[in-house]
Amino acid sequence: MAQVVLKNIQKEFTKKDVPLTVLKDIDIEINRGEFVSLLGPSGCGKSTLLNLVAGLEKQTSGELTVNGNMIKGPGNDRIVVFQESGLFPWMNVINNVMYGLLIKKIPKAEAKQKAIEILKMVHLVQFQDSYPHELSGGMKQRVAIARALVMDPDILLMDEPFAALDEQTRMVLHRELESIWRKTGKTIIFVTHNIRESLMLSDRILLMGTRPGHIKKEYRVQATRPRDSADSVLVDLERRILRELELEMEKVLKEEMGDDYNYKEDHVSSHPHRNMGSDI
């Protein structure tokens, strides 16, 4: 049985009393222990879809279950790691990681031991007494991941967690995350707009189309791990995904720019005030 099941999901928002459909006809099954990426251009509903699984938002129609149970709201079986680490600046690293356990009334000594074990996993135990302002961006995100993992969720939901980091730090955290995933066996649903990132990490990539958001194509990444971005399998898959993504980006640009849009074959036109796709 699939661990996460979305059947005929639709999500609408109301804008100026007019309903706006942001997700339509979403059908997804994710098995336990899978690493699945949601890839697509800005505005296609990736984060909204993740929020539905997290229980932070409610679908307008359709059925969403985790482990056979309907999602009725947030739960400790599903923890979200956001783009910003969200650490409490007045707490040191160990207290940030322990916080959720203490809220659950776990004894302080037990909570501290669990936090130390997780900090060892993300190679930050030597910084347990440091405060967020003393850490690099990459270290803050590792603390955020540790804070999520210490709660022992079934599913880790990650919403572009490395988007604000430089390329070198991102590559290091890719290796860290893959190592954590292999050690823990957690199910990970990972939102990104970066093709290469999705290829380096995922078992499957779900490419989303936009207006309204839908699953356009699914790609299985059958390259060996640890992965090498120069692997011919990944290079070919990147080329195929880019072609599809360019079509979606073109649709968005046409809608946003109207008569200012100028399409050139084999090239997605840009506008001096747009940066869509700059991190792809």
Side-chain angles (χ1 to χ4, degrees):
M1 180 184 296
Q3 185 179 27
V4 181
V5 179
L6 295 85
K7 292 183 179 178
N8 198 28
I9 293 294
Q10 182 160 314
K11 176 64 178 176
E12 294 179 354
F13 292 108
T14 301
K15 185 176 182 180
K16 296 181 179 179
D17 297 324
V18 177
L20 176 66
T21 302
V22 294
L23 294 173
K24 184 176 182 181
D25 300 332
I26 302 291
D27 290 287
I28 301 172
E29 291 190 358
I30 297 174
N31 295 322
R32 184 177 297 276
E34 269 197 295
F35 196 126
V36 176
S37 286
L38 302 175
L39 175 69
S42 298
C44 71
K46 303 184 297 294
S47 294
T48 299
L49 184 52
L50 198 77
N51 287 340
L52 294 181
V53 178
L56 300 175
E57 295 181 23
K58 175 72 175 175
Q59 66 268 27
T60 305
S61 62
E63 184 177 295
L64 204 168
T65 61
V66 172
N67 296 320
N69 300 312
M70 299 286 291
I71 291 180
K72 298 180 179 178
N76 289 331
D77 59 336
R78 291 155 283 126
I79 303 292
V80 185
V81 177
F82 295 100
Q83 183 172 333
E84 298 294 331
S85 64
L87 302 180
F88 298 124
W90 60 89
M91 289 186 184
N92 61 15
V93 166
I94 189 74
N95 285 321
N96 264 288
V97 176
M98 289 169 55
Y99 181 78
L101 295 175
L102 296 178
I103 291 295
K104 290 180 66 178
K105 307 299 183 183
I106 302 295
K108 188 172 183 179
E110 181 182 347
K112 185 172 183 178
Q113 183 58 40
K114 288 179 179 290
I116 288 173
E117 290 173 5
I118 294 296
L119 285 172
K120 287 179 181 177
M121 185 179 294
V122 299
H123 309 295
L124 284 176
V125 70
Q126 66 270 35
F127 294 95
Q128 62 180 287
D129 296 322
S130 300
Y131 285 82
H133 72 272
E134 299 174 309
L135 306 177
S136 68
M139 293 166 73
K140 289 178 184 177
Q141 283 303 83
R142 283 153 68 191
V143 176
I145 292 170
R147 186 175 58 182
L149 287 173
V150 80
M151 302 301 292
D152 195 25
D154 287 341
I155 302 166
L156 196 59
L157 305 169
M158 309 190 78
D159 192 359
E160 300 198 59
F162 309 141
L165 304 177
D166 63 82
E167 186 65 22
Q168 291 78 14
T169 303
R170 184 183 295 186
M171 289 170 63
V172 170
L173 290 184
H174 287 170
R175 292 194 293 271
E176 293 274 356
L177 180 58
E178 182 177 14
S179 175
I180 291 168
W181 170 66
R182 296 176 75 169
K183 287 177 182 176
T184 64
K186 301 293 183 189
T187 304
I188 297 181
I189 305 177
F190 189 95
V191 166
T192 183
H193 61 266
N194 187 296
I195 298 175
R196 186 157 298 176
E197 181 170 71
S198 66
L199 288 168
M200 295 301 290
L201 292 171
S202 311
D203 293 321
R204 279 193 295 152
I205 298 170
L206 302 178
L207 178 63
M208 294 186 65
T210 190
R211 310 290 169 87
H214 59 281
I215 305 300
K216 184 176 183 180
K217 287 204 173 183
E218 174 183 314
Y219 300 89
R220 292 192 177 273
V221 187
Q222 296 178 318
T224 57
R225 296 180 185 270
R227 289 176 177 160
D228 180 349
S229 60
D231 186 326
S232 60
V233 173
L234 298 182
V235 171
D236 178 65
L237 196 51
E238 182 176 13
R239 188 180 301 113
R240 288 162 53 196
I241 293 173
L242 181 58
R243 281 199 298 265
E244 292 293 337
L245 193 54
E246 282 180 339
L247 295 175
E248 292 305 311
M249 292 166 60
E250 182 192 341
K251 284 166 53 179
V252 173
L253 289 169
K254 281 182 177 178
E255 291 183 13
E256 290 189 353
M257 297 172 63
D259 294 338
D260 291 336
Y261 176 79
N262 178 29
Y263 174 70
K264 296 179 182 179
E265 192 168 354
D266 296 327
H267 176 71
V268 176
S269 301
S270 62
H271 186 280
H273 302 298
R274 311 283 182 184
N275 65 355
M276 181 179 299
S278 60
D279 290 330
I280 294 172

